[in-house]
Amino acid sequence: MKHAFIFGTNVFLSNHRTISYNDGDSSTVFLTIRSFYHKNHGSPDQELVIDADIHTVDDHHPVRVTGNMVQDGADVHTVTEPNRIRLYHANHAEPMLDVYQLDRHEYAGLSSHITNEIHSQHPDPVFTIKGNFKVAGSHIYIENERMNIDHDSFANGVENFPDGVTLLTSEKVHGH
């Protein structure tokens, strides 16, 4: 089964449900989709469930979520819906991590290069991931139109990762 992960205007496709960050020396898994939302007729619906291992941006405290439950994280709480989970740091209006599973009717509102990939590769499910957090000392900021990793900005990218998505900066890609 193929999964699509949308970060800003970038789409990453993978057969696995993990997202990592590679700092050039090692790779750190920071998000795992344990189960995705699926409406079951006649039985309880299956909800979106994640594990996350990130750090807050302002005070660099670790935040660890297992099965949608905060295990470690000073002043962090979750808000869950069947197809969405958001992690909030105290006194912040925007979530530090927002994982949302799109319904098929929502695909039409995406950028054309993303919908083209969805139609050609047929992933199920499709997630948008937004947030403002740190992984392995690097600042990752994702909003509707862009993804920044430290000082690098990424937009309109399409990547296939058969063994799980790995994010890295251009400095790591080009060895600078």
Side-chain angles (χ1 to χ4, degrees), residues 15-168:
N15 296 327
H16 292 276
R17 302 178 190 181
T18 59
I19 301 169
S20 304
Y21 173 72
N22 188 313
D23 65 3
D25 295 321
S26 63
S27 192
T28 303
V29 174
F30 69 88
L31 179 63
T32 302
I33 307 294
R34 291 179 64 174
S35 67
F36 57 90
Y37 175 69
H38 182 71
K39 190 160 190 68
N40 293 315
H41 301 287
S43 62
D45 294 345
Q46 181 175 319
E47 295 188 0
L48 172 64
V49 178
I50 68 163
D51 292 344
D53 193 358
I54 58 179
H55 285 78
T56 60
V57 172
D58 49 0
D59 54 16
H60 310 290
H61 284 107
V63 175
R64 188 171 304 107
V65 174
T66 304
N68 289 359
M69 304 294 291
V70 177
Q71 305 297 314
D72 186 14
D75 299 324
V76 174
H77 70 278
T78 62
V79 174
T80 60
E81 298 171 40
N83 63 336
R84 187 177 206 167
I85 180 165
R86 290 173 281 189
L87 306 180
Y88 286 93
H89 193 214
N91 303 318
H92 288 77
E94 294 296 317
M96 64 184 296
L97 180 64
D98 181 355
V99 180
Y100 175 63
Q101 182 180 332
L102 294 164
D103 190 68
R104 290 188 186 282
H105 76 273
E106 295 172 297
Y107 297 172
L110 299 170
S111 296
S112 62
H113 73 283
I114 294 174
T115 56
N116 289 342
E117 288 300 315
I118 290 170
H119 291 306
S120 70
Q121 297 203 37
H122 306 288
D124 188 46
V126 175
F127 301 96
T128 61
I129 300 171
K130 298 177 186 172
N132 188 13
F133 52 90
K134 286 196 166 197
V135 175
S138 288
H139 182 203
I140 298 175
Y141 176 70
I142 309 158
E143 62 174 7
N144 290 334
E145 298 297 320
R146 68 173 189 227
M147 174 175 66
N148 291 344
I149 301 176
D150 289 331
H151 300 291
D152 290 332
S153 183
F154 301 87
N156 300 320
V158 176
E159 297 285 341
N160 284 284
F161 289 93
D163 298 321
V165 174
T166 301
L167 303 179
L168 43 107

